[in-house]
């Protein structure tokens, strides 16, 4: 019987079948760094190969079985020991036995449900990963491979504009209007601010985009506010009757879609915060929640049927306009 370094060991490598053609997406890791991972959508098949390479030629590797898992889990940083799995699929690759030489095993998880978007926040992490395991009596050999999941949404049917008032009796009265309340991640916030009454000396005005992450339940609820963007509207005193346009491009900022009560563990919401500062450094603000959603990219051949349909919903309106303009050209 072999022990420790005198025995056989192995290296595991996980390779996706469409690794050469599959798109990658940048994703922030827990330490704040960015890395690129293979991008998947809900309903897409995850398939590939597990390569097991023996380190010591000529020696056999005894094992209790070889398997691969596809896992989706939520980890709350204040409760590190517990991983909440909302997706857990297992494929057995080999029965208990011996390996005399390096081997490759095929695997496929068909039309996998991936209900939530990958997310790394200040107090919570939602991740999807593949984990291959060679089970052994003393110590298992494992290899994990993370992927990133994006959730696509359809265009919201009801998307009314936002109209609000900010006022201090007999001192200040402002109306502001945003063109809609729901924006995709590469959208533009268009709006206007009207000064109806100005009797205090305002020296600065800005709009902030605030991300609010809520984790936990009951007494263990944590709120983290993070200012994603600051957009200066004006620097100087406005006058009564003045109107100031707003045009804020979202594509330049790192944001996820709005997430509400994900697996009853956490939420991520976004707010537009209008801030006014007077000459005595007093701050006045008004907050309004907005909804962010991810618009589908161009349909790719490797996408599953479900993901393709979700993406085509966004291409439909654009293609109909294109067809209409083409018809006009043909008639001329």
């Amino acid at each position: 019987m072999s022990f420790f370094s005198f025995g056989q060991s192995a290296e595991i490598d996980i390779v996706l079948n469409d690794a050469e053609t599959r798109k990658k997406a940048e994703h922030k890791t827990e330490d704040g760094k960015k890395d690129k991972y293979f991008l998947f959508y809900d309903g897409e098949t995850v398939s590939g190969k597990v390569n097991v390479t023996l380190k010591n030629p000529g020696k056999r590797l005894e094992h209790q079985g070889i398997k691969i898992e596809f896992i989706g889990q939520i980890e709350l940083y204040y409760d590190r020991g517990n991983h909440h799995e909302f997706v857990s699929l297992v494929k057995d690759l080999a029965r208990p036995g011996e390996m005399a030489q390096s081997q490759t095993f095929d695997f496929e998880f068909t039309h996998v449900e991936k209900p939530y978007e990958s997310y790394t926040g200040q107090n919570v992490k939602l991740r999807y990963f593949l984990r291959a395991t060679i089970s052994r009596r003393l110590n298992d050999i494992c290899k994990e491979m993370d992927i990133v999941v994006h959730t696509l949404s359809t265009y919201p049917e009801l998307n009314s504009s936002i109209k609000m008032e900010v006022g201090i009796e007999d001192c200040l009265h402002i109306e502001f209007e945003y063109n809609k309340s729901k924006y995709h991640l590469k959208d533009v916030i268009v709006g206007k601010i009207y000064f109806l009454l100005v009797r205090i000396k305002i020296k600065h005005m800005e709009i902030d985009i605030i991300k609010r992450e809520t984790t936990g339940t009951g007494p263990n609820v944590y709120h983290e506010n993070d200012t994603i963007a600051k957009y200066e509207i004006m620097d100087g005193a406005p006058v009564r009757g003045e109107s100031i346009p707003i045009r804020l491009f979202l594509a330049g900022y790192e944001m996820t879609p709005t997430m509400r009560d994900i697996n009853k563990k956490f939420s991520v919401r976004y707010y537009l915060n209008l801030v006014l500062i007077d000459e005595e450094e007093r701050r006045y603000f008004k907050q309004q929640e907005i909804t962010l959603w991810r618009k589908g990219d161009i349909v790719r051949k490797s996408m599953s049927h479900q993901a393709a349909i979700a993406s085509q919903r966004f291409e439909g309106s654009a293609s109909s306009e294109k067809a209409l303009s083409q018809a006009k050209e043909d008639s001329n």
Side-chain angles (χ1 to χ4, degrees):
M1 184 175 177
S2 300
F3 291 95
F4 305 107
S5 60
F6 300 104
Q8 179 62 283
S9 188
E11 287 186 350
I12 304 174
D13 192 26
I14 303 171
V15 181
L16 296 178
N17 283 341
D18 54 0
E20 293 182 3
T21 56
R22 179 163 290 279
K23 185 177 176 182
K24 287 188 173 183
E26 268 195 352
H27 190 73
K28 190 172 69 172
T29 57
E30 199 175 323
D31 58 7
K33 296 179 181 177
K34 289 182 187 174
D35 210 343
K36 286 195 170 183
Y37 301 91
F38 289 109
L39 175 62
F40 284 83
Y41 298 96
D42 182 26
E44 282 194 282
T45 294
V46 182
S47 64
K49 297 179 179 358
V50 175
N51 299 321
V52 179
T53 307
L54 298 184
K55 288 184 177 180
N56 302 316
K59 288 189 177 181
R60 294 176 178 271
L61 175 71
E62 290 187 27
H63 63 83
Q64 309 299 311
I66 302 173
K67 66 181 180 180
I68 187 164
E69 301 165 90
F70 181 84
I71 296 171
Q73 72 177 22
I74 297 171
E75 181 182 359
L76 298 166
Y77 296 164
Y78 65 81
D79 189 19
R80 288 277 189 182
N82 293 321
H83 293 152
H84 307 277
E85 294 184 358
F86 55 88
V87 176
S88 181
L89 304 173
V90 184
K91 298 277 185 185
D92 289 321
L93 302 177
R95 293 180 178 179
E98 290 185 346
M99 282 182 65
Q101 59 187 16
S102 300
Q103 280 184 256
T104 296
F105 304 93
D106 293 317
F107 69 88
E108 180 174 283
F109 296 100
T110 308
H111 303 312
V112 186
E113 183 184 3
K114 311 174 200 72
Y116 312 123
E117 175 137 347
S118 299
Y119 177 74
T120 302
Q122 291 171 290
N123 287 320
V124 63
K125 176 170 63 178
L126 189 153
R127 65 186 282 240
Y128 294 87
F129 60 97
L130 291 161
R131 180 168 61 206
T133 305
I134 301 173
S135 299
R136 301 201 300 175
R137 286 181 183 173
L138 293 176
N139 58 330
D140 294 346
I141 303 172
C142 291
K143 177 66 178 287
E144 292 184 356
M145 176 183 170
D146 280 77
I147 65 168
V148 164
V149 170
H150 282 176
T151 54
L152 302 180
S153 301
T154 56
Y155 186 85
E157 292 179 8
L158 295 173
N159 200 353
S160 55
S161 61
I162 300 172
K163 291 184 180 179
M164 285 194 299
E165 295 184 7
V166 176
I168 303 169
E169 192 174 351
D170 297 329
C171 293
L172 179 69
H173 189 186
I174 298 173
E175 285 184 356
F176 56 98
E177 181 177 352
Y178 305 117
N179 58 333
K180 48 192 177 183
S181 56
K182 300 172 184 176
Y183 300 88
H184 63 77
L185 297 182
K186 295 182 181 178
D187 216 334
V188 184
I189 296 175
V190 177
K192 272 190 176 182
I193 295 180
Y194 305 95
F195 292 88
L196 305 178
L197 177 64
V198 183
R199 286 182 180 164
I200 57 175
K201 293 183 178 179
I202 298 171
K203 71 170 187 178
H204 181 75
M205 178 183 279
E206 68 184 29
I207 284 185
D208 302 337
I209 299 177
I210 295 173
K211 181 179 85 170
R212 182 171 297 159
E213 177 187 292
T214 304
T215 52
T217 54
N220 298 318
V221 174
Y222 298 87
H223 300 284
E224 289 285 352
N225 288 346
D226 186 17
T227 302
I228 303 294
K230 285 180 179 289
Y231 175 78
E232 185 177 84
I233 300 169
M234 61 176 295
D235 190 8
V239 296
R240 181 180 178 180
E242 192 169 357
S243 172
I244 298 174
I246 299 168
R247 202 167 176 82
L248 177 55
F249 293 84
L250 299 179
Y253 303 108
E254 293 180 19
M255 294 187 289
T256 66
T258 295
M259 302 179 180
R260 291 190 173 91
D261 200 20
I262 300 300
N263 206 41
K264 297 183 179 179
K265 295 291 184 294
F266 74 98
S267 297
V268 180
R269 289 181 161 88
Y270 292 88
Y271 297 84
L272 288 177
N273 193 33
L274 180 67
V275 181
L276 290 77
I277 304 172
D278 67 15
E279 290 189 342
E280 297 178 13
E281 297 298 326
R282 287 178 298 197
R283 296 169 66 89
Y284 311 91
F285 61 89
K286 185 79 171 180
Q287 220 171 70
Q288 172 65 35
E289 184 175 0
I290 58 172
T291 300
L292 298 182
W293 52 281
R294 187 180 296 282
K295 189 175 180 180
D297 295 326
I298 296 170
V299 180
R300 294 165 57 249
K301 289 182 181 178
S302 61
M303 287 173 66
S304 70
H305 182 61
Q306 293 96 321
I309 289 173
S311 187
Q312 282 170 347
R313 286 173 182 153
F314 300 106
E315 302 301 318
S317 58
S319 59
S320 61
E321 289 175 10
K322 186 177 178 182
L324 184 61
S325 61
Q326 185 67 46
K328 288 181 180 177
E329 288 179 13
D330 294 342
S331 63
N332 292 336

